[in-house]
Amino acid sequence: MNLEQRSYLLVTGASRGIGSELALQLSRCVKPEGSVVVLLGRSEQCLAQTKAAILSQPAQAALSVHSYSLELATAKAADFARILNETLPSGGGQQFERAIVVHNAGSLGDTSKHAREIGDTEALEQYYHINLFSALALNAEFMRVFAKQPKLLVNISTLAALEPFPSMTHYCTVKAAREMYFRVLALEEGSASQTLVLNYAPGVVDTQMTLQVQSESHDTGLAAAFREQRESNTMLKPAQTVEKLLQVLRAQKFKSGDHVDYKD
């Protein structure tokens, strides 16, 4: 895959961790002249830092970079439509050789609860809105706006989408649902379409999310495993897993809709 194209690039959860690194490294790949980078996240201050880091790269100074602080717990399709419309150039999406969206935003959920204890439907609705419903709403608008352009859709997945982990009921179920959505989308669009879908599992990465598991999980074995990896410095850094993702994209040995893990 040639990533060095005139692109529209949108990254969710771009304010910190893997999302910020994704935005930084992918923005280095795209052709600066005529490309647009859109950063979505919760923290306006952290998004500003990601934006500044992107524009501090001399080769990328010509990039058009936009950032939007957005609460995914209440975000609707109209919010994403507005952001896409505001960041498109006057000629619409026709100027882009590729449109890329990276669905990275997500939260862990309550790891202090056992599966048998989870039943608060209001809390579940909010959690699923953040982690699933908002991603589907954004993706629908993205597919509509860039209907005629080649598209790359990356869902930041996890091994927990495929295998159960104690104390991670919220995370496992929502990641499984999200990955299945993208697999169905890839199947429906077909291999002959201009839409390429990848479910990428970044591995165990040194982020706020793994710190949360370490400190809050009711499963002492899982918490200890994360603690040991962090203390032994064997936990991946965001830059490492994003570099691997770029290698996977450039090699493009996967089929649309595939699940590819950092360890593959």
Side-chain angles (χ1 to χ4, degrees):
M1 181 187 298
N2 177 19
L3 294 174
E4 292 75 28
Q5 294 179 307
R6 191 167 56 253
S7 304
Y8 183 99
L9 167 65
L10 189 154
V11 181
T12 70
S15 56
R16 65 182 187 181
I18 296 174
S20 178
E21 190 66 33
L22 280 162
L24 186 62
Q25 290 202 36
L26 281 167
S27 69
R28 290 175 187 155
C29 298
V30 301
K31 187 182 295 183
E33 294 77 16
S35 289
V36 172
V37 176
V38 181
L39 312 173
L40 301 187
R42 292 186 66 183
S43 169
E44 192 170 336
Q45 181 180 3
C46 292
L47 286 171
Q49 292 172 357
T50 302
K51 179 177 178 178
I54 291 171
L55 293 176
S56 69
Q57 305 169 103
Q60 304 307 107
L63 273 173
S64 176
V65 184
H66 308 267
S67 62
Y68 288 86
S69 176
L70 189 65
E71 180 50 70
L72 294 182
T74 55
K76 294 180 171 56
D79 298 311
F80 297 117
R82 173 181 59 82
I83 290 169
L84 288 164
N85 290 333
E86 288 179 2
T87 54
L88 282 174
S90 56
Q94 302 304 314
Q95 75 173 55
F96 300 111
E97 297 172 279
R98 188 187 302 276
I100 304 170
V101 59
V102 184
H103 295 273
N104 167 72
S107 60
L108 183 62
D110 189 348
T111 60
S112 70
K113 286 185 168 61
H114 291 76
R116 64 175 180 270
E117 300 173 296
I118 296 171
D120 183 337
T121 54
E122 288 187 8
L124 286 167
E125 284 172 2
Q126 183 182 59
Y127 181 75
Y128 274 81
H129 198 123
I130 293 169
N131 293 279
L132 179 63
F133 304 157
S134 64
L136 270 61
L138 167 58
N139 211 63
E141 292 303 313
F142 187 85
M143 295 291 288
R144 177 185 63 81
V145 169
F146 295 107
K148 297 181 180 179
Q149 282 73 42
K151 293 173 287 296
L152 170 62
L153 283 56
V154 180
N155 171 43
I156 299 302
S157 186
T158 169
L159 180 61
L162 308 179
E163 296 184 14
F165 286 86
S167 80
M168 299 180 71
T169 304
H170 288 92
Y171 193 66
C172 288
T173 55
V174 83
K175 283 294 192 177
R178 199 157 107 171
E179 173 148 336
M180 185 54 72
Y181 162 78
F182 282 102
R183 288 176 61 189
V184 171
L185 176 70
L187 181 65
E188 290 181 346
E189 295 300 307
S191 58
S193 77
Q194 296 190 98
T195 300
L196 183 64
V197 179
L198 173 65
N199 292 293
Y200 176 68
V204 180
V205 185
D206 189 359
T207 63
Q208 189 62 38
M209 188 176 288
T210 49
L211 274 170
Q212 184 182 342
V213 174
Q214 183 179 317
S215 62
E216 298 178 6
S217 174
H218 71 72
D219 187 83
T220 55
L222 185 64
F226 276 38
R227 187 178 302 108
E228 181 181 345
Q229 287 189 55
R230 181 166 275 108
E231 291 174 352
S232 63
N233 202 32
T234 56
M235 197 171 274
L236 294 169
K237 302 300 182 185
Q240 289 176 279
T241 193
V242 174
E243 287 166 7
K244 179 63 176 286
L245 170 61
L246 295 183
Q247 292 172 15
V248 169
L249 291 174
R250 288 190 170 111
Q252 200 179 329
K253 294 180 180 178
F254 61 92
K255 299 190 298 295
S256 186
D258 276 356
H259 176 105
V260 177
D261 193 281
Y262 176 86
K263 295 179 180 179
D264 290 346

